[in-house]
Amino acid sequence: MSFMTKPKVHHPNLPKNKLGLTTRDYEGGMSTLCAGCGHDSITAGLIEAVWALDIEPHKVAKMSGIGCSSKTPAYFLREAHGINAVHGRMPSIATGAQAANPELHFIGVSGDGDSLNIGFGQFAHAIRRDVNMLYIIENNGVYGLTKGQFSASADVGSKAKYGQVNENPPIDPVLTAITLGCGFVARGFSGDKDQLIPLIQAGLKHNGFALIDVISPCVAFNDHEGSTKSYAHTREYFHPAIHTDFIPPREEIKVEYEKGKAMPIELHDGSTIVLRKIDVDHEPTNRAAAIGYLERHREAQEIVTGLLYVNEDHGGGVGDVMPPKSLTGGAAIRDPKKILETFQSTSR
């Protein structure tokens, strides 16, 4: 579909933000990803989040590396600045661009292979330098663009589409980020927009490096039984294997469940994953508690989503994390637990 031009149709009744723009003004080109790919749901969330924050599209810089995930910036904010970097090297480009023009909003979109394999060193140093950007990892556990090899985020025992079993322990991006001192760490699921959009909004307003790891199932190569990154495993923890010669159109998997609850999710191939939305009483400012919380639920084979850790004294701190001024009268939010509550109460 890369030869197709996306129709520019604006319904007269579409809501407008304070800039007089609709969400259509924040879209990009036609997606060439597989039908049902979780990455497209993340794209929709980014469009909604940036529009709701009244950010001018030309004041955004989109960065990516190489891979299916790194095609995402072509599908949102067509008026923004953007670049595809060399595989795994997007953080260096973002660091230089941010130093040259710190007035822009920087969004980095990467994948688990791009960030946790070839780009792991770059990823770690971007956190260490506290580059002021929103960094989204579209995490599906495989190299989808090169036909489904395991990435560094694949869990031990997970099975590839062609039967191989992964025996190497995974790198968990959120645990890595917390231990490296990242000031804003969250995880979401591509099928849960009610949680994902507020996380993106909060990450965009955080002063410093903000990481959101988004479980985003690959419908072509990692959405089968035995995969721990499938829709089904991500939803029982939350894949019918499909043939590589034809990828049938699929419905996007969407979920709704309460805070503190776990939900098994069946993927397109029949496999399942289990998502657990973070407990209401979770204290996101306690670093040790956040690491312990993640480890406990990892042992239970549950994928925890939500705001996992935020450091009030890191960079600009949580005082700079603000929803649209129309929602707060311009007042900064100092209580980290209220950050998402404010966004979530207005995103419905």
Side-chain angles (χ1 to χ4, degrees), residues 111-132:
D112 37 299
D114 193 55
S115 286
L116 305 181
N117 285 80
I118 191 170
F120 191 49
Q122 298 256 327
F123 172 64
H125 286 291
I127 295 174
R128 183 177 68 85
R129 296 189 183 103
D130 198 25
V131 179
N132 191 11

Side-chain angles (χ1 to χ4, degrees), residues 281-339:
D281 59 355
H282 173 69
E283 179 48 69
T285 59
N286 188 322
R287 184 177 175 184
I291 292 174
Y293 186 84
L294 284 166
E295 287 289 359
R296 286 195 304 274
H297 290 290
R298 181 182 65 82
E299 291 174 1
Q301 296 186 321
E302 295 178 345
I303 302 171
V304 179
T305 67
L307 179 61
L308 303 169
Y309 176 71
V310 62
N311 185 346
E312 294 178 283
D313 301 318
H314 194 83
V318 90
D320 289 323
V321 181
M322 296 173 59
K325 291 182 179 180
S326 61
L327 306 180
T328 64
I333 299 176
R334 298 292 173 181
D335 183 350
K337 288 186 177 179
K338 291 182 179 178
I339 300 170

Side-chain angles (χ1 to χ4, degrees), residues 195 259-260 276-280 282 293 304-308:
Q195 182 188 55
K259 294 179 181 178
R276 174 175 289 277
K277 194 165 290 188
I278 209 160
D279 293 330
V280 177
H282 173 69
Y293 186 84
V304 179
T305 67
L307 179 61
L308 303 169

Side-chain angles (χ1 to χ4, degrees), residues 52-224:
L53 289 175
D54 304 318
I55 297 174
E56 296 176 89
H58 69 277
K59 291 186 177 179
V60 175
K62 322 173 281 187
M63 308 284 177
S64 66
I66 297 296
C68 291
S69 60
S70 295
K71 297 170 71 175
T72 295
Y75 310 142
F76 68 95
L77 294 177
R78 58 180 171 269
E79 303 296 332
H81 309 277
I83 187 172
N84 277 115
V86 179
H87 200 193
R89 271 54 179 177
M90 176 266 285
S92 290
I93 303 296
T95 300
Q98 201 274 332
N101 191 348
E103 300 303 315
L104 295 176
H105 298 270
F106 287 87
I107 301 175
V109 182
S110 185
D112 37 299
D114 193 55
S115 286
L116 305 181
N117 285 80
I118 191 170
F120 191 49
Q122 298 256 327
F123 172 64
H125 286 291
I127 295 174
R128 183 177 68 85
R129 296 189 183 103
D130 198 25
V131 179
N132 191 11
M133 67 182 298
L134 170 63
Y135 195 106
I136 294 177
I137 297 180
E138 298 182 335
N139 190 346
N140 57 22
V142 296
Y143 285 94
L145 202 60
T146 55
K147 306 300 182 283
Q149 301 91 337
F150 289 122
S151 78
S153 71
D155 295 306
V156 173
S158 59
K159 187 181 294 185
K161 182 174 182 177
Y162 301 110
Q164 304 94 328
V165 177
N166 179 49
E167 299 178 356
N168 298 313
I171 295 174
D172 186 327
V174 297
L175 276 173
T176 300
I178 293 173
T179 56
L180 288 173
C182 185
F184 182 103
V185 183
R187 176 180 279 142
F189 174 55
S190 61
D192 188 358
K193 71 173 186 177
D194 288 341
Q195 182 188 55
L196 182 59
I197 292 173
L199 286 175
I200 293 172
Q201 290 175 314
L204 281 167
K205 285 299 183 178
H206 177 73
N207 188 4
F209 192 94
L211 172 70
I212 305 178
D213 174 43
V214 186
I215 304 300
S216 179
C218 174
V219 298
F221 297 109
N222 207 18
D223 197 30
H224 50 272

